[in-house]
Amino acid sequence: MAFFRAILYYLFIAVGLFVVGIPFMFYKGVLCRRWADSTRVCIPFFKVLFKLSGIKVEIVGKENIPDHKKFVLVANHQSFLDINVIWPSITMTSFIAKAELWKIPVFGWVLTKIGCIPVHRNPRKNLGMGATVKKRLEDNVTISVFPEGHRSNDGHMLPFQNGIFRMAKENGFPLLPVTIVDSGKRLAKTKWSQTPGVVKVVVHPLQTPEMFVDKTVAQLRDEIHNMISSALPYRQEV
């Protein structure tokens, strides 16, 4: 049953992209010239999908979500589901994602239009990314990133990469740490399996540039890693 639930989950997303997502983005982006609002459709879409899939999202620390959108959301990464829960639980968002995703027909076009930013394997191609992130924030587009680089196999957090923390210090933008708990149990990475249950989203206090101006990149990276890890059932400090 869990296997078929997973197939239906991904199928619902694929069909929804073409039937609901792209037409709505065409309306908002092409006709209304408001590409930044085009992912608003993801909020009701994933609420419906979660209800159909038996997934309940519980939010802790909702008062820590800023009223403005000029921040970068930093979260742990266990499952494809992590991307889905951010819209209905936090806000509309674009992502920093691996550049290979832009090679997928239609999907790559969608990523560009909604303001996502590609990260390349060749570090030279990533020069200036911090300024790009800051420009997106100034355009009122929230950016989300998973600093582990890829999904954890067992839910335990991997070490964070330096990139987003160096960019935050150099360009002076705030970071919102978020812990996503048990998404890997609801939609597994290592096998085709989707099971009903709770995904908890813990929103930590916003970290403003003034709070980390005197910290090194490594100190900022590790402090936020430990903050996010502290809300997991198995705390893992670095």
Side-chain angles (χ1 to χ4, degrees):
M1 179 62 74
F3 173 78
F4 292 108
R5 281 181 175 273
I7 292 177
L8 290 174
Y9 189 92
Y10 288 115
L11 183 62
F12 192 96
I13 290 178
V15 173
L17 174 62
F18 287 96
V19 175
V20 179
I22 291 179
F24 185 83
M25 284 186 285
F26 180 86
Y27 167 72
K28 279 291 185 181
V30 178
L31 300 182
C32 300
R33 304 291 183 182
R34 293 169 60 187
W35 283 107
D37 289 340
S38 62
T39 63
R40 186 179 299 277
V41 69
C42 294
I43 297 174
F45 178 84
F46 283 115
K47 284 183 178 180
V48 171
L49 178 54
F50 293 163
K51 192 172 186 64
L52 293 174
S53 303
I55 296 172
K56 181 180 180 182
V57 179
E58 295 182 353
I59 308 171
V60 178
K62 197 169 185 177
E63 68 278 3
N64 291 324
I65 301 175
D67 293 332
H68 59 80
K69 297 182 179 179
K70 298 180 180 180
F71 62 88
V72 173
L73 187 152
V74 180
N76 60 311
H77 200 17
Q78 303 177 11
S79 167
F80 175 73
L81 186 60
D82 299 331
I83 299 170
N84 308 161
V85 302
I86 290 175
W87 276 293
S89 62
I90 309 293
T91 186
M92 295 185 298
T93 186
S94 297
F95 290 86
I96 296 176
K98 57 185 180 181
E100 287 79 6
L101 294 176
W102 270 255
K103 298 178 181 179
I104 301 174
V106 180
F107 188 62
W109 173 84
V110 171
L111 292 177
T112 297
K113 289 300 183 181
I114 66 174
C116 291
I117 302 171
V119 57
H120 300 270
R121 294 182 184 274
N122 184 346
R124 293 183 179 180
K125 293 184 178 181
N126 297 323
L127 295 176
M129 185 185 296
T132 301
V133 172
K134 187 173 183 179
K135 178 63 168 59
R136 292 282 196 280
L137 300 181
E138 291 172 348
D139 291 338
N140 214 32
V141 177
T142 298
I143 297 293
S144 296
V145 63
F146 303 110
E148 291 166 279
H150 55 86
R151 291 170 292 172
S152 166
N153 287 330
D154 59 5
H156 288 79
M157 284 176 60
L158 303 171
F160 278 175
Q161 299 175 11
N162 288 332
I164 193 63
F165 306 103
R166 180 180 293 111
M167 288 186 275
K169 283 187 60 66
E170 291 176 350
N171 295 274
F173 52 74
L175 303 173
L176 182 68
V178 171
T179 308
I180 303 174
V181 184
D182 287 341
S183 58
K185 292 181 180 179
R186 307 283 75 82
L187 188 67
K189 171 192 175 182
T190 55
K191 59 182 179 179
W192 282 76
S193 175
Q194 191 273 306
T195 56
V198 174
V199 173
K200 185 165 72 172
V201 177
V202 181
V203 185
H204 302 277
L206 187 72
Q207 304 298 296
T208 64
E210 295 76 20
M211 297 170 67
F212 52 76
V213 65
D214 294 326
K215 297 175 182 176
T216 66
V217 170
Q219 287 172 331
L220 175 61
R221 177 200 66 205
D222 292 346
E223 284 184 12
I224 291 186
H225 183 284
N226 291 341
M227 187 183 301
I228 294 173
S229 176
S230 68
L232 290 171
Y234 21 74
R235 181 166 184 169
Q236 180 183 1
E237 294 190 353
V238 293

